[in-house]
Structure formats: C-alpha cells, structure tokens
Amino acid sequence: MQDILIKNGLIVTAERTFKADLLISGGEIERLGDCLDCPGGIEIDATGKYVMPGGIDAHTHLNLQIGDNKVSDGFYEGSAAAAFGGTTCIVEHPSFGPNNCSLMHQVDAFKKEGNSNSVIDFGIHGVFQHVNADILSECANLMAEGVSSAKIYMTYSGRLHDLEILSVLERAKEVGLLTTYHAESNDIIDFLSSRLSKEQHKDPYSHSLTRPTCSEAEAIFRLICMSEALGGVPLYIVHLSTAAGLAAIEGAQSRGLEVYAEVCPQHLILTDSCYHEPDNRGLKYVMAPPPRKKEDIDALWQGLARGTIDVVATDHCSFSFKDKLSRGRDDFRLAPGGIPGVETRLPLLFSEGVLKNKISLNRFVEVVSTAPAKLMGLFPQKGHLSPGADADVIVFDPHLENEKIITPHNLRQNADYSPYEGMSVRGWPTTTIIRGQLVVHEGRLLVEKGWGQYVNRKQAVKASTVTSMAGPDRAS
Ligand SMILES: [Zn+2]
C-alpha cells in the first residue's frame, strides 16, 4: 500500500484546529507536521480544505429486512454511500433473528454479510429480542466477540418488558456492555394508534399524533429510574427527538448517572409539518420517532452544543418511497418506517450546525466521529488523528462553490428519495481514506466490495465533556 501525504490542509479535531500536513503510512497515521514529504507516495493537496478523522455513524440499518420489506441498499450500496458522505465506519443494528435465537446469531449473520460486501469498516450491535438465563450468560461472550453494545426496543413486537430490562441492566453492569434503547412508550402509542384507526384518520400526519413527545419522555424517564434502582448503569438513548426527553436525560446526568444520547439529523432539521406534503408524500417521513416541533429542534441543538447529547448518528434505513406508498397509501401504519441518511449526515450537520453557529467546528468533529468512537468502543483505534491510529481520514470541502442541492439523483445512496430534497448544503468530502487506502477520491469509488473490515469493539469509554461552545472559531 502506497503512503499518502495530505498537504496544506487545516487539521480539525475535537479539540483544536491547526495547519499541518498529515502523513499516512502502513494504514496508520504516521505523523502531523510542517512541510512533510513522501517520496514515491500519493500526494493530495488540501489547500483551503479541512482534514478530519473519518465520520463514525453509530446507528445504521444498511441491511434490514422486516417481513417482506427490505431496505433498498444493502451493505455494499449503503457503505459506498457512507464513504461518499465522509463516513469511514458504521455500527450496524441487525434485525431480529429467528425466535429464541442466541445473541450471536444476528451478529454472525450480519458480520458475514458485511465482510463480503461492505467497503467501509463496521461493527455490529447486539440486539435483545427475548431474555432468559442463557441470554444473560451470553452477554460476557458478546463482549469477548467485540460486540460492546446491544439494543433494546421498548416498543414494537420485539420489545422487552421492564422486568426483562432490569435483568439485562444488572448483567450489563457486570460485564461492561453498553445497552442502547429505542425509548418510546409502547402502550401510549398502541392506545392512540387503535383509537385513531377507529376514527378513520389514517393519513401520514396521524403517524406523529400517535407518537406524542410524552411517549418518548416517559420511556426515557422510566429507563433512567430503572438504572438508578440498580445503583446506576450506563444507558445510551438512540435517536432522541424531544425537549422533554432531553430534560429527563439532563436531570439524570446532573445526578451523576451515565446517560448518553444520540440525535439524528432528521430530528434536528425536519418538523412534523413534513407529514402534510400533498399526494401522500408525507409517507416518505414515516419513521419512529417522528420529526417534532421547532421547540424540540431548538432544544436538541442546544443539548448537542452543551454536551447533554453526545453523538449524531443517522438511523439510516432506506425503505423506498415506492414501497411506503404502495403499502401505506390508505393507512400510514402499513408503511415501512425509516429514512435514508447515511450519506448526508456530515454535510447537513456542517451546514445547519457549524455554518449557522449552533455548534463549533471542533464540536462538529467530536459528535460525528470522536465521541461515537469512544462510546462504541472504537477509540483509540478510530475517531482521531494521532499517530498510530487507523488512517481513517477525510478531506472536507467547506466552500460555497461546492454547495450542492440535495436530490436523490446527485447522491450515491440507492434510495428513490431524500427527506432533505431541495436543501442546499455545503461540506462535502472530496477524499475518503480508510486504513490508509483511498476509498473515494475525485468522485470515484476505488475499492471492491468486501474491502471494509469488521472491527472488534472494546468497552465504551466516556465521551468527553464539551469545552468548546458554539462560537466564531471557524477557520474559513
Ligand atoms: Zn434504528
């Protein structure tokens, strides 16, 4: 593998911004410094651009199938889209496996699929679909297999009940497993959803009415109480969407509990008015939790800036609009839920967050790369640019000349729509390097499927506390 020298760029990390060259050798970061050279290697001129650690998306469903509904990309197309968007590693949430299967069943299946098809590195979350003594004893094995996080659903048919959650939490504390939660109150949602159906309201907007903000906040608060009852067990809340949920998390953190939160671009950008798009186009946005109101969006941005929220991930789940429409036209509840987003995470967060002064440039790098690396057990191998780390690096173009209007046609992702269609965004990566290999450069994908590797993840380390608030420390 040839060495790579990235010259004249502005290095941006979670802590600071400075001008330096960056030398990559043997798949690792070799050195940062002035006027480096690299005889015989590849030289990339990054004048006027940022050089950052590659993005880490802690929440994807590239390869999901639920019943007859399958997402439109799969590991190959989905990981290629991620690479075009500056993401060098994902942690994939597998779907449920056969009844009563072991915890490793789905991890093994997805690992195999990823090893054959992914072009970027990946980890796999575990998923609890039932709980018994065997499953609890398997938790230690999960950690040994590099699966240091596992998901629990509090809603849907595969949900766990509180007694089961408590027993998992107790075990997770013993073995150091980070449990992650889709936190919504199943009973509130079921109740509202069946009541609405009797009254014949089955349009897309009703989707948001059946999942009110209190249904998220209640579930988060209940979890926090369960953690507290066991003397404090770390929790990771996926796709936080409400100010009320955020307040519960903030309260827990102020009592010294380890509660981490992830937010997705859809909940930072879209509002529930999206469901009013004519001709059933609101079905595009069927996802759980749904987009909320402006007050929630404002609160989430503030929570992200001050560090109550640690991570920005996508929950990428690209069921096609065609499928959503054919199944959900007469009843939103039949539309498969989820939206594509793995490719647009960095540009959206940069444009809406950094350029609008809601988060600093360094905080941007922290929430898209460094903090997820720490919480997902990928640090110090990934998520930063110090010598010895994997050379997962992106060259990122912040300039106005490269502003792009989002349409499904100018994205790599294999989706027939984008929920952000029509938005004008800046901050597209021009080069994506993974373990010292050019993966995307000058608009082309340069590796074969299967080039991505499964990463053995370690126990989570705390995401750092924020010191850099939103402010004018941008360098361009
Ligand atoms: Zn998800």
Side-chain angles (χ1 to χ4, degrees):
M1 189 184 288
Q2 268 181 298
D3 290 357
I4 300 177
L5 177 63
I6 304 175
K7 295 229 22 127
N8 306 316
L10 205 56
I11 307 285
V12 187
T13 71
E15 294 86 28
R16 58 200 192 102
T17 308
F18 56 99
K19 206 152 191 267
D21 298 342
L22 183 147
L23 179 63
I24 293 169
S25 184
E28 294 181 352
I29 308 279
E30 172 80 16
R31 200 145 39 105
L32 291 100
D34 291 332
C35 306
L36 300 183
D37 61 6
C38 159
I42 301 167
E43 207 172 291
I44 295 170
D45 180 21
T47 305
K49 294 178 183 166
Y50 301 150
V51 178
M52 310 175 356
I56 292 171
D57 191 338
H59 189 163
T60 60
H61 303 272
L62 299 190
N63 202 48
L64 191 71
Q65 175 148 13
I66 304 173
D68 291 339
N69 295 315
K70 192 166 186 354
V71 292
S72 60
D73 33 31
F75 258 111
Y76 174 61
E77 294 291 346
S79 64
F84 273 84
T87 287
T88 52
C89 185
I90 55 165
V91 189
E92 170 86 354
H93 283 285
S95 39
F96 290 131
N99 282 343
N100 299 315
C101 68
S102 72
L103 285 175
M104 280 307 290
H105 183 280
Q106 288 305 86
V107 173
D108 285 338
F110 274 65
K111 189 169 157 181
K112 199 167 158 222
E113 192 66 25
N115 274 327
S116 315
N117 293 294
S118 186
V119 299
I120 68 172
D121 286 355
F122 64 97
I124 311 281
H125 295 280
V127 59
F128 287 93
Q129 53 188 85
H130 65 290
V131 179
N132 58 30
D134 289 345
I135 292 290
L136 292 174
S137 70
E138 208 192 336
C139 289
N141 184 39
L142 211 59
M143 293 295 292
E145 294 289 333
V147 183
S148 53
S149 58
K151 192 174 190 180
I152 290 171
Y153 289 86
M154 298 174 79
T155 187
Y156 302 131
S157 56
R159 70 188 175 279
L160 298 192
H161 297 282
D162 291 359
L163 273 174
E164 296 171 315
I165 294 175
L166 283 159
S167 55
V168 173
L169 273 173
E170 186 172 54
R171 184 69 183 138
K173 190 176 186 178
E174 288 165 6
V175 301
L177 180 73
L178 181 63
T179 46
T180 78
Y181 295 86
H182 180 134
E184 285 188 297
S185 164
N186 191 68
D187 287 347
I188 292 176
I189 294 165
D190 264 5
F191 185 83
L192 294 178
S193 170
S194 58
R195 194 182 67 180
L196 270 176
S197 83
K198 284 182 203 136
E199 293 163 3
Q200 299 292 304
H201 291 296
K202 293 174 188 165
D203 57 296
Y205 186 69
S206 297
H207 173 67
S208 67
L209 297 179
T210 60
R211 309 183 100 92
T213 57
C214 59
S215 64
E216 178 177 88
E218 184 277 331
I220 291 175
F221 187 66
R222 181 153 40 98
L223 266 178
I224 288 167
C225 295
M226 288 192 265
S227 160
E228 208 159 8
L230 298 177
V233 187
L235 304 171
Y236 179 104
I237 310 298
V238 304
H239 50 48
L240 175 70
S241 69
T242 61
L246 179 73
I249 291 168
E250 194 143 42
Q253 290 171 346
S254 71
R255 298 197 297 283
L257 292 168
E258 256 183 83
V259 183
Y260 300 103
E262 158 198 295
V263 68
C264 302
Q266 52 269 37
H267 299 119
L268 290 168
I269 292 170
L270 304 175
T271 68
D272 60 3
S273 64
C274 64
Y275 292 111
H276 293 308
E277 280 190 17
D279 306 322
N280 267 321
R281 288 204 299 274
L283 286 172
K284 287 190 287 192
Y285 309 94
V286 170
M287 64 179 102
R292 307 291 186 180
K293 307 257 183 234
K294 179 156 188 315
E295 303 81 76
D296 294 293
I297 290 178
D298 291 345
L300 293 172
W301 276 113
Q302 287 158 18
L304 188 63
R306 69 173 175 262
T308 314
I309 299 172
D310 304 279
V311 167
V312 176
T314 62
D315 198 8
H316 175 95
C317 183
S318 63
F319 290 117
S320 69
F321 179 44
K322 188 168 151 275
D323 286 350
K324 285 173 181 262
L325 197 59
S326 72
R327 297 191 166 100
R329 194 189 304 270
D330 300 319
D331 184 346
F332 71 87
R333 293 169 306 166
L334 302 176
I339 58 161
V342 73
E343 188 173 355
T344 45
R345 181 176 66 126
L346 270 58
L348 283 171
L349 195 71
F350 178 74
S351 298
E352 295 297 305
V354 180
L355 294 178
K356 294 187 177 173
N357 280 316
K358 290 174 181 156
I359 54 171
S360 71
L361 183 59
N362 304 99
R363 181 67 181 148
F364 166 68
V365 172
E366 184 162 41
V367 299
V368 299
S369 177
T370 309
K374 289 178 177 173
L375 289 170
M376 292 299 127
L378 297 160
F379 194 86
Q381 187 184 348
K382 296 183 182 295
H384 65 124
L385 296 177
S386 307
D390 280 359
D392 297 353
V393 184
I394 59 173
V395 179
F396 184 91
D397 186 348
H399 294 104
L400 183 60
E401 304 84 76
N402 290 316
E403 190 160 286
K404 197 154 93 173
I405 294 174
I406 294 179
T407 76
H409 315 291
N410 63 14
L411 293 176
R412 165 78 196 207
Q413 63 195 17
N414 191 24
D416 58 359
Y417 77 104
S418 164
Y420 311 106
E421 187 158 359
M423 282 184 70
S424 197
V425 295
R426 280 156 72 178
W428 297 92
T430 52
T431 301
T432 301
I433 296 167
I434 302 178
R435 283 176 283 107
Q437 166 71 44
L438 285 173
V439 171
V440 174
H441 188 55
E442 291 169 346
R444 289 190 309 135
L445 182 66
L446 300 174
V447 294
E448 298 292 314
K449 59 168 68 172
W451 196 83
Q453 282 182 0
Y454 175 75
V455 191
N456 262 308
R457 298 182 294 122
K458 301 182 185 66
Q459 186 170 347
V461 294
K462 285 186 188 190
S464 77
T465 6
V466 186
T467 45
S468 53
M469 297 295 289
D473 62 331
R474 312 203 297 277
S476 83

